[in-house]
Amino acid sequence: MTERITSVALPDAPSDGVSGGTSRRAPDATLDTTSGSASDSTADGTSGGDQLPPARLALNGRTWAEIAHLLANLPVSIFGFVYVVTLISTGAALSVTVVGLPLLAGGLLGARQLGKMERARARALLGVRIDEPSPLPVRRTGFFAWLWSSLKDPVGWRTVLYDFIRLPWGIVTFTVTLTSLFVLWPVLPFIARGLTNVDRALVRGLLSPSDELERRIAELESDRGVVVDTAAADLRRIERDLHDGAQARLVNLAMGLGLAKEKLLEDPDAAAAMVDEAHGEVKLALQELRDLARGIHPAVLTDRGLDAALSSVASRCTVPVKVTADLETRPAAAIEGIAYFTVSELLQNVSKHSGARSASVDVWRTDERLLIQVRDDGHGGAGLDGGTGMAGLADRLGAVDGLFVIDSPPGGPTTITAELPWRDRGDETAR
């Protein structure tokens, strides 16, 4: 007996077919061979068993920080604008009185504090890392020194400019951000990023410390102090040499000639001996004056240039010195003088301290720099703290943007390189 098998539809089966069961389907229905389920989906757009992701805000923490910064721009910019306008108007109105300039200087110090708060706000909300500027430099004590330093403070004036131009921008950012928060919130992260990028540029441009400029100003102020101190020391040395040397000899000469005049009639022989002694004193006084003038600025340097002057210095050194000067033109007189005295001091150290058997001096020009190199085969060990005047040479070269490098290992040899800026003699004459 043949038994007929018929398919039976499950009463509770869904119309799209469930994997693992037998169902009745329309002839044109197709099965999804990759997942084992039908391609038809439920009315809500989800496949059977899938869950919707949990609801969350689209704005992250960084965006909310930028939004907070933009909304705070308006009250902060109003306060800064009112402060700056009050400061400028009051300081300008009272500048003809005694309290005007001190009030303006105090206002600039307050502007520094406003800039400090703005940098802190940018660090906290915008992630802009800007170092604090250097403290207000006051090289001398006293009220007027403080007043002048405060009035020419570039940090304070840049902060004044920053707060003055911020009010229109603060109004724009507050209005756009507040409106976008309710109307354009899907694109608010992009709007906030664009607006805060302008804020970042303003903070970097006007509230940055300008380290390179401040460093250069500090160097120039230090170099100016070195030049002034060096000039004062040179004047004291010249005064001491004149007082203890030539002036003392001239005083003795005058006294000797006075005694010779008194004895001229009574004892002509004694008077003649006194005159001979006075003649010797005159020669010694002239020699000391000549040496003093050479120490101030040697005549051979003025007349014949650096090559001949260095050869003259080398001839007075206690060790043989070879001088090589490769200069097609002469540098400015000030640079030439510094180069001469640098080599003179170094050769004196070679004579006194190095214990060398020979030395050499090389001078040449490279681009816009004048280079000097002094070598000796002594025992080495030279340094800036050795009491040989090296520190003074380094300060003098540094005052004119020069360099001073010592290479002197124990046991020698010693190589000292000095570098000076090159200035043409004709340019200096034109100035």
Side-chain angles (χ1 to χ4, degrees):
M1 182 177 182
T2 304
E3 185 177 4
R4 178 177 294 183
I5 304 295
T6 60
S7 60
V8 180
L10 296 177
D12 297 330
S15 61
D16 60 347
V18 178
S19 176
T22 305
S23 63
R24 184 176 57 201
R25 52 188 175 88
D28 58 347
T30 57
L31 291 175
D32 188 345
T33 57
T34 57
S35 61
S37 62
S39 59
D40 296 338
S41 59
T42 59
D44 60 357
T46 60
S47 59
D50 290 340
Q51 300 292 331
L52 288 172
R56 60 185 180 86
L57 293 175
L59 306 180
N60 55 22
R62 172 58 63 189
T63 302
W64 281 116
E66 292 176 345
I67 292 173
H69 184 276
L70 295 172
L71 293 177
N73 274 348
L74 181 59
V76 171
S77 61
I78 290 176
F79 177 80
F81 183 81
V82 171
Y83 179 87
V84 168
V85 171
T86 305
L87 168 66
I88 298 300
S89 60
T90 306
L94 298 178
S95 60
V96 295
T97 65
V98 177
V99 299
L101 293 181
L103 181 63
L104 184 59
L108 290 174
L109 292 179
R112 267 182 166 255
Q113 300 304 315
L114 291 180
K116 183 177 181 180
M117 290 187 294
E118 278 295 280
R119 284 186 291 271
R121 189 165 73 101
R123 282 194 298 269
L125 299 178
L126 300 183
V128 179
R129 304 295 175 181
I130 297 179
D131 296 331
E132 295 296 326
S134 303
L136 186 65
V138 179
R139 302 300 177 187
R140 300 178 302 276
T141 58
F143 172 76
F144 290 103
W146 168 83
L147 180 64
W148 177 243
S149 299
S150 300
L151 290 177
K152 66 176 185 177
D153 179 24
V155 176
W157 285 111
R158 288 202 308 269
T159 306
V160 167
L161 177 61
Y162 175 85
D163 288 326
F164 185 77
I165 66 176
R166 286 279 296 178
L167 181 58
W169 179 248
I171 296 174
V172 170
T173 56
F174 179 84
T175 304
V176 172
T177 304
L178 188 62
T179 303
S180 301
L181 192 60
F182 295 99
V183 178
L184 301 175
W185 60 265
V187 294
L188 182 56
F190 304 99
I191 296 175
R193 181 58 51 87
L195 295 176
T196 53
N197 281 341
V198 178
D199 276 329
R200 292 182 178 94
L202 288 173
V203 172
R204 291 192 181 101
L206 295 176
L207 300 183
S208 295
S210 302
D211 290 336
E212 184 65 24
L213 178 60
E214 291 188 359
R215 183 189 62 80
R216 183 59 178 162
I217 292 174
E219 286 181 356
L220 292 177
E221 290 180 348
S222 176
D223 293 344
R224 182 181 62 184
V226 170
V227 171
V228 172
D229 294 341
T230 302
D234 290 339
L235 289 176
R236 290 193 299 269
R237 178 181 59 82
I238 293 171
E239 180 184 7
R240 183 178 63 251
D241 292 343
L242 286 173
H243 182 272
D244 298 340
Q247 182 180 348
R249 291 192 181 279
L250 291 175
V251 169
N252 291 333
L253 174 63
M255 295 175 61
L257 289 176
L259 292 174
K261 181 179 179 181
E262 293 178 358
K263 292 181 178 295
L264 183 60
L265 298 177
E266 299 177 359
D267 191 355
D269 294 335
M274 289 181 179
V275 171
D276 290 338
E277 183 178 355
H279 185 259
E281 289 290 331
V282 169
K283 289 183 178 180
L284 292 176
L286 288 176
Q287 182 63 37
E288 289 184 355
L289 289 174
R290 190 178 296 111
D291 293 339
L292 181 60
R294 185 184 297 115
I296 297 173
H297 194 83
V300 65
L301 180 62
T302 303
D303 298 337
R304 301 175 57 189
L306 194 58
D307 190 1
L310 295 183
S311 299
S312 176
V313 172
S315 65
R316 298 194 297 268
C317 188
T318 58
V319 300
V321 180
K322 179 183 178 182
V323 178
T324 303
D326 184 12
L327 297 176
E328 297 180 358
T329 59
R330 294 179 62 178
I335 300 300
E336 197 174 54
I338 294 175
Y340 170 82
F341 287 110
T342 299
V343 174
S344 178
E345 183 73 22
L346 292 176
L347 290 182
Q348 288 183 19
N349 288 336
V350 171
S351 299
K352 297 177 182 179
H353 308 291
S354 69
R357 294 187 300 273
S358 63
S360 65
V361 177
D362 296 300
V363 182
W364 70 98
R365 176 184 177 181
T366 300
D367 295 331
E368 296 302 317
R369 309 292 286 182
L370 176 65
L371 281 85
I372 304 167
Q373 198 165 70
V374 178
R375 298 187 184 92
D376 68 75
D377 57 359
H379 51 68
L384 296 178
D385 55 352
T388 57
M390 296 288 190
L393 286 176
D395 292 339
R396 179 171 295 186
L397 291 173
V400 293
D401 283 343
L403 297 176
F404 189 78
V405 180
I406 300 176
D407 181 15
S408 182
T414 297
T415 301
I416 298 177
T417 304
E419 183 178 335
L420 291 166
W422 179 276
R423 292 204 303 269
D424 291 327
R425 183 169 293 262
D427 295 341
E428 183 185 58
T429 304
R431 287 195 294 270

